[in-house]
Amino acid sequence: MALTLDNYFAAGWRDQTHTCPACEWQGTSREMSMELHEDEAEFDCPQCENPILLVVHPSLAQVQAAAAEGHPEAIEQLEILASVPRPD
């Protein structure tokens, strides 16, 4: 069963070592294959393709809260959103 991370802005999740329960491969999410889905990103074992980690995409409110706390990635995401042209 994959571990679900609900807080995208939690410190260190990309570098945390995970062990695949199916084949015992060990590594970080940076070494896994990633599948993007509507509500989450799924990180799979590069050896056996077993899902290891599910990272829930943050809501706008979560991005805004993280940006208000000074999280650099959240600030960057808000800047990207602000640069998108809006219909009149």
Side-chain angles (χ1 to χ4, degrees):
M1 175 141 214
L3 171 69
T4 299
L5 178 68
D6 291 320
N7 182 2
Y8 177 86
F9 297 107
W13 69 264
R14 289 178 178 91
D15 297 314
Q16 182 181 1
T17 300
H18 298 274
T19 301
C20 176
C23 73
E24 298 184 5
W25 172 87
Q26 291 187 334
T28 68
S29 66
R30 297 181 191 280
E31 300 168 85
M32 298 179 203
S33 58
M34 181 181 67
E35 292 181 34
L36 287 176
H37 300 283
E38 186 174 335
D39 297 324
E40 66 198 13
E42 177 180 303
F43 292 83
D44 299 332
C45 176
Q47 209 165 300
C48 73
E49 300 181 4
N50 183 59
I52 296 176
L53 179 64
L54 300 174
V55 180
V56 177
H57 299 311
S59 66
L60 179 56
Q62 289 171 317
V63 175
Q64 291 169 328
E69 293 174 4
H71 193 286
E73 188 176 357
I75 293 168
E76 182 181 5
Q77 288 178 5
L78 284 182
E79 289 171 355
I80 290 168
L81 288 173
S83 71
V84 174
R86 305 265 185 230
D88 293 331

